[in-house]
Amino acid sequence: MTDRPGGPTDPDFAGPPLPVPVQRLLGEAEHALGGLDEAAWRLPDRSVLARCARIRDARGAAARAGRSADLVDAWLFADLGAGTPPDLLLRAVSPEEDEPDAPPSPASEGAHPPFDRYLAALELGADLLARGRALDVRLLAEVGAVRARGRGAPPLAGSAALRAWSVSTRALEPLPRIARLALEHRLLALHPPFPDAAAVVTSLRLVGSGLLRDQILPLSVWLDTHADRRDALLRGSPVGWVEFFARGVRELARAQTNLIEELAALRAHHLNLVPHPRSARRVAADLVASPVLTHPALVRRHGFTAKTATDVTRRLLELGLVTTLDDRPYRKVFLCVPVLRLLTTEPPGEPIRDEDAFKTGH
């Protein structure tokens, strides 16, 4: 097999090898991913990047299936969890028809799950990969079942698209890794077992292929920001799609690296503001990874007593590092707004202009 798009993914493609500018772009994209991976390891807690990317990918997948959620609300939901106040926030993210006590809606079950199920599916996939599971059809069937909560789950194990995808992961071996991922994504996007499969699978494949150690690249941001061009290129030239995909990987990796630098600077600022007491300093250092606080969460995470947790949040409020979500006297939720603002910028880093991003050889 020659070093060009082809094989099971594009059986009718008979074009030349990848053009030199595209090969250069693929190299830049892989280099940017390497820089991102190394920069992430310099953070005391890189889990914030993985959670941020999963929240963005889950939100994008839910939106493509017709179930939108505000990004800040989605982040709060992920940190607070179901059943935690404020109730209006949770209903906005996971509508009433999906609450345990509400009768299921036949029209929406399986086809349009809410944000929280997409997030749970991505977290399961990441956990299985971390435990050494292979990214194969069986793993994706488990992820798909979580997404549908066992009701109306698509028969992933028997999906023709996923069987072809499984073959393509081996048949495209001579191609650069990012080109292979681009064509695998194209196959699933054109013949999906469910609408959001391509983005979910590609997010997992970035880790499974060894390009990243964690899911810290929110690929859905690029794909959704440039949705019109994405949809046109999916049905156009495979080379054009590879170029578009690689450019997105490069731009997002660079933006995420910039985000890491901003988070590190913000953490240093927080530590400078809180030299003591030690308990408050520990929480201040952790704000870039956990910008949403509750007293029970502080007790669980740091082993504080309830009184110490209350003293810590009072001190952080006095210093202006956190603010309260609302005016309720009990069960308070505290937010570090500067961190949330960084993590929920759309897209991460500097905005990407189409007229610049899609210049040949840019």
Side-chain angles (χ1 to χ4, degrees), residues 277 279-280 283 295 298 304-318 334:
S279 55
V283 177
H295 291 143
L298 290 176
F304 294 158
T305 64
K307 181 181 182 305
T308 299
T310 302
D311 291 342
V312 165
T313 54
R314 183 184 299 116
R315 178 63 175 153
L316 296 181
L317 280 168
E318 291 171 353
F334 305 90

Side-chain angles (χ1 to χ4, degrees), residues 56-79:
R56 288 178 180 275
D57 282 340
R59 175 178 173 263
R64 284 188 293 275
R67 301 291 286 273
S68 62
D70 177 79
L71 185 54
V72 175
D73 286 355
W75 184 274
L76 293 175
F77 179 90
D79 264 18

Side-chain angles (χ1 to χ4, degrees), residues 93-349:
V93 178
S94 184
E96 288 183 358
E97 68 183 36
D98 292 292
E99 294 301 316
D101 297 332
S105 168
S108 65
E109 277 307 315
H112 301 292
F115 160 82
D116 59 313
R117 293 197 214 160
Y118 287 102
L119 183 60
L122 281 170
E123 288 177 339
L124 172 64
D127 180 62
L128 292 175
L129 286 176
R131 288 193 272 144
R133 282 281 301 276
L135 180 53
D136 53 19
V137 174
R138 288 183 60 188
L139 182 146
L140 294 177
E142 293 180 40
V143 171
V146 169
R147 169 194 172 276
R149 198 183 285 166
R151 294 174 294 187
L156 288 179
S159 162
L162 279 179
R163 284 201 304 273
W165 169 82
S166 185
V167 171
S168 78
T169 60
R170 297 185 296 274
L172 294 171
E173 192 63 33
L175 284 169
R177 285 183 292 180
I178 292 175
R180 295 204 311 268
L181 286 180
L183 294 174
E184 292 170 16
H185 183 102
R186 184 171 182 263
L187 172 67
L188 288 177
L190 291 175
H191 307 285
F194 49 83
D196 50 291
V200 172
V201 173
T202 304
S203 180
L204 295 171
R205 280 285 289 151
L206 279 166
V207 180
S209 65
L211 285 163
L212 290 172
R213 284 174 277 196
D214 293 304
Q215 289 173 265
I216 57 176
L217 192 81
L219 187 60
S220 61
V221 171
W222 174 264
L223 297 175
D224 294 343
T225 299
H226 305 293
D228 290 343
R229 188 168 182 86
R230 174 199 68 198
D231 294 342
L233 287 172
L234 277 172
R235 291 165 175 79
S237 160
V239 171
W241 171 255
V242 169
E243 180 180 11
F244 169 78
F245 185 93
R247 197 178 303 281
V249 169
R250 185 190 69 180
E251 297 301 325
L252 284 171
R254 290 174 175 176
Q256 287 292 87
T257 302
N258 290 338
L259 173 63
I260 289 171
E261 294 173 358
E262 292 182 84
L263 289 172
L266 195 54
R267 182 177 185 271
H269 174 65
H270 291 167
L271 287 173
N272 187 53
L273 287 177
V274 191
H276 58 78
R278 192 165 142 189
S279 55
R281 186 173 173 82
R282 285 173 60 190
V283 177
D286 196 43
L287 283 175
V288 295
S290 301
V292 181
L293 306 177
T294 63
H295 291 143
L298 290 176
V299 170
R300 289 192 305 270
R301 188 178 303 138
H302 298 285
F304 294 158
T305 64
K307 181 181 182 305
T308 299
T310 302
D311 291 342
V312 165
T313 54
R314 183 184 299 116
R315 178 63 175 153
L316 296 181
L317 280 168
E318 291 171 353
L319 292 170
L321 290 184
V322 299
T323 186
T324 53
L325 181 61
D326 51 37
D327 295 327
R328 66 177 67 217
Y330 303 105
R331 302 177 72 189
K332 286 182 178 291
V333 177
F334 305 90
L335 310 177
C336 183
V337 174
V339 173
L340 278 173
R341 187 176 294 124
L342 277 178
L343 296 175
T344 57
T345 299
E346 289 276 26

Side-chain angles (χ1 to χ4, degrees), residues 10-72:
D10 295 290
D12 299 325
F13 181 79
L18 290 170
V20 171
V22 176
Q23 293 182 38
R24 182 169 61 247
L25 182 59
L26 288 166
E28 291 173 356
E30 187 151 348
H31 180 76
L33 283 178
L36 169 60
D37 213 35
E38 291 306 313
W41 277 100
R42 294 196 292 270
L43 282 177
D45 185 355
R46 62 189 270 130
S47 67
V48 63
L49 297 176
R51 188 161 73 254
C52 185
R54 286 196 292 269
I55 288 169
R56 288 178 180 275
D57 282 340
R59 175 178 173 263
R64 284 188 293 275
R67 301 291 286 273
S68 62
D70 177 79
L71 185 54
V72 175

